[in-house]
């Protein structure tokens, strides 16, 4: 992959040839015992790999949003509500999922006049405490671990401690942080964690999952089915028997199985998070030398996503195209941030020297984009 296009978007991330080759392992009927074995292997590897050995994994064929929707609709009992912590596009998506499914939703949002202010401010855990006190019918609190919108890490450990004092469950969208950001999810007390194969785990898009604590497992069995496809209780029942309710992305499961082996061989959580820390330091050093300004206070910055001010006189489309000519795909800011910011995401299998060469490519691309 030395001369391949390097994806610096927040997933799908570049994968190793070993992972992509797994796609060619052949055809397999998901009702055969071989698929049951593959499923069992993935289900048992995922929770300990992500620091949640007591959790139970449920795989769903779909993108990360399928896992979010499954988690939200399967964690709130009839007549109860959800509290959504919203400081970015994905917090807002959790809220929209709840409302689209007729679930009463309350919100905690940072103060701020603009998206920029709101999306770069970590949530104050005390605001969650106050909202829980104001809404005693809350059955679940949903929060995004790593807001990919800006590369902001929310204080989920502190929020988890507050939620643990209530009767509500904690649902964490860890889709862009699972296995790659420093937070040890085992310390958070999350009951339902959403993840996907194609970001920090270096698998391919098409398989997402939720990880449920014993309390989470109990809850999903108490909640009325709000969807046929995304009803967690039916996945639980089927997958415990080595089965899936609907046709899964079989070959993407082969690839995830291989990606999880690579993850373990690379030192598991400690090894992967160290790599992402080192990448962030390398790239942010380059940005500093190029005079590019990084958004988000250092204390709350993710390692996998860096949000950067566009240099003066440079538009995102020009910068994107110049960098693509030089072998790198960057990513636009979201929503109202798109005209002033761009993102560099160091997820996936990226040869170290390609990251070292990014500095020269950025420098040349900025000059060319200004011309
Ligand atoms: C934090 C977070 N949640 C959810 C999603 C949604 O995932 P998908 O686009 O795979 O549906 C993303 C995607 O980037 C994300 O970063």
């Amino acid at each position: 992959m030395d001369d391949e296009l390097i994806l610096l978007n927040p997933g799908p991330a570049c994968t190793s040839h070993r992972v992509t080759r797994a796609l060619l392992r052949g055809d397999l009927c998901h009702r055969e015992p071989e698929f049951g074995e593959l499923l069992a292997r993935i289900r048992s590897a995922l929770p300990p790999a992500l620091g949640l050995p007591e959790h139970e994994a449920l795989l769903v064929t779909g993108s990360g949003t399928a896992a979010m929707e499954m988690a939200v609709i399967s964690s709130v009992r009839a007549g109860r509500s959800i509290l959504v912590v919203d400081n970015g596009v994905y917090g807002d998506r959790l809220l929209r999922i709840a409302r689209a499914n007729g679930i009463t939703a309350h919100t905690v949002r940072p103060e701020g006049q603009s998206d920029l202010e709101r999306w770069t401010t970590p949530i104050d855990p005390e605001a969650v405490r106050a909202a829980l006190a104001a809404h005693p019918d809350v059955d679940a609190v949903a929060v995004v671990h790593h807001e990919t919108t800006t590369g902001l890490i929310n204080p989920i450990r502190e929020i988890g401690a507050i939620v643990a004092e209530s009767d509500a469950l904690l649902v964490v969208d860890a889709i862009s942080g699972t296995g790659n950001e420093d937070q040890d999810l085992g310390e958070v007390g999350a009951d339902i964690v959403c993840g996907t194969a194609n970001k920090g785990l270096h698998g391919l898009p098409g398989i997402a999952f939720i990880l449920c604590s014993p309390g989470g497992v109990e809850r999903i069995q108490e909640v009325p089915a709000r969807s046929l496809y995304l009803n967690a209780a039916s996945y639980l029942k089927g997958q415990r028997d080595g089965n899936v309710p609907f046709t899964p992305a079989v070959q993407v499961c082969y690839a995830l199985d291989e990606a999880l082996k690579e993850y373990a061989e690379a030192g598991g959580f400690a090894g992967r998070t160290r790599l992402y820390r080192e990448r962030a330091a390398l790239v942010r050093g380059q940005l500093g030398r190029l005079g590019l300004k990084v958004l988000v206070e250092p204390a709350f910055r993710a390692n996998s996503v860096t949000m950067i001010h566009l240099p003066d006189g440079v538009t995102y489309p020009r910068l994107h195209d110049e960098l693509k000519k030089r072998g790198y795909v960057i990513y636009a800011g979201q929503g109202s941030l798109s005209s002033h910011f761009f993102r560099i995401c160091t997820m996936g299998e990226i040869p170290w020297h390609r990251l070292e060469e990014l500095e020269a490519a950025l420098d040349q691309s900025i000059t060319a984009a200004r011309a």
Side-chain angles (χ1 to χ4, degrees):
M1 51 191 315
D2 278 358
D3 52 0
E4 287 170 17
L5 197 57
I6 298 295
L7 299 183
L8 299 176
N9 52 282
C14 286
T15 51
S16 69
H17 290 168
R18 173 172 161 188
V19 166
T20 46
R21 266 199 307 272
L23 290 174
L24 303 176
R25 207 168 283 163
D27 300 321
L28 173 63
C29 171
H30 61 291
R31 302 291 176 215
E32 291 300 308
E34 290 84 349
F35 182 78
E37 286 159 22
L38 173 65
L39 181 66
R41 223 168 29 247
I42 296 172
R43 290 185 76 229
S44 63
L46 270 174
L50 301 174
L52 296 165
E54 306 301 324
H55 281 52
E56 184 161 355
L58 301 179
L59 267 61
V60 57
T61 290
S63 80
T65 304
M68 292 167 86
E69 188 140 1
M70 179 184 267
V72 167
I73 68 174
S74 307
S75 60
V76 183
R77 287 170 291 188
R80 309 290 292 271
S81 68
I82 190 166
L83 177 66
V84 178
V85 171
D86 171 14
N87 60 342
V89 166
Y90 298 101
D92 179 61
R93 187 171 300 179
L94 287 167
L95 182 64
R96 286 190 295 132
I97 287 171
R99 292 195 170 145
N101 284 282
I103 298 171
T104 303
H106 313 286
T107 54
V108 168
R109 292 190 171 110
E111 300 286 316
Q113 299 303 312
S114 63
D115 286 344
L116 181 60
E117 273 181 74
R118 284 188 295 273
W119 293 353
T120 52
T121 307
I123 293 297
D124 173 7
E126 290 307 316
V128 175
R129 190 193 303 280
L132 280 170
H135 304 290
D137 68 332
V138 166
D139 224 12
V141 175
V143 59
V144 178
H145 164 214
H146 166 215
E147 251 305 347
T148 326
T149 317
T150 52
L152 176 101
I153 298 285
N154 272 317
I156 51 170
R157 190 198 325 224
E158 291 77 0
I159 292 173
I162 288 170
V163 175
E165 292 169 16
S166 76
D167 293 331
L169 293 191
L170 179 65
V171 174
V172 175
D173 168 355
I175 284 172
S176 62
T178 14
N180 52 291
E181 292 297 341
D182 283 334
Q183 178 65 65
D184 179 348
L185 290 170
E187 297 169 354
V188 171
D191 296 289
I192 303 188
V193 173
C194 312
T196 187
N198 58 275
K199 294 188 196 282
L201 291 177
H202 302 190
L204 287 158
I207 291 290
F209 53 86
I210 62 170
L211 305 180
C212 304
S213 68
V217 165
E218 219 172 281
R219 174 64 58 84
I220 63 180
Q221 296 175 94
E222 290 165 5
V223 167
R226 294 185 167 98
S227 155
L228 183 71
Y229 188 71
L230 294 172
N231 177 26
S234 56
Y235 284 77
L236 179 73
K237 190 166 176 299
Q239 294 189 14
R240 281 185 168 172
D241 294 335
N243 220 322
V244 279
F246 308 103
T247 309
V250 175
Q251 284 72 16
V252 180
C253 290
Y254 283 144
L256 176 57
D257 188 30
E258 217 50 57
L260 285 167
K261 287 181 198 151
E262 282 188 346
Y263 180 87
E265 290 162 17
F269 179 76
R272 186 65 50 91
T273 49
R274 184 171 56 245
L275 172 68
Y276 276 60
R277 269 197 304 280
E278 289 168 358
R279 287 176 173 178
L282 174 73
V283 170
R284 288 171 193 168
Q286 298 174 338
L287 297 170
R289 284 190 291 280
L290 294 171
L292 295 173
K293 222 172 119 217
V294 174
L295 200 72
V296 177
E297 287 302 308
F300 305 109
R301 268 182 212 159
N303 289 322
S304 52
V305 173
T306 305
M307 180 89 164
I308 307 147
H309 288 255
L310 278 163
D312 287 343
V314 173
T315 63
Y316 174 75
R318 287 295 310 276
L319 184 61
H320 169 273
D321 293 355
E322 290 298 334
L323 270 164
K324 194 167 177 183
K325 282 188 217 161
R326 292 167 176 82
Y328 301 92
V329 172
I330 54 167
Y331 212 54
Q334 272 166 304
S336 60
L337 306 193
S338 60
S339 49
H340 292 96
F341 302 94
F342 70 104
R343 284 174 287 177
I344 289 181
C345 313
T346 41
M347 287 177 183
E349 289 295 317
I350 309 176
W352 188 257
H353 74 93
R354 295 295 305 275
L355 278 185
E356 286 176 330
E357 291 156 12
L358 178 63
E359 182 168 357
L362 262 171
D363 197 16
Q364 292 160 13
S365 300
I366 290 168
T367 305
R370 277 205 182 107

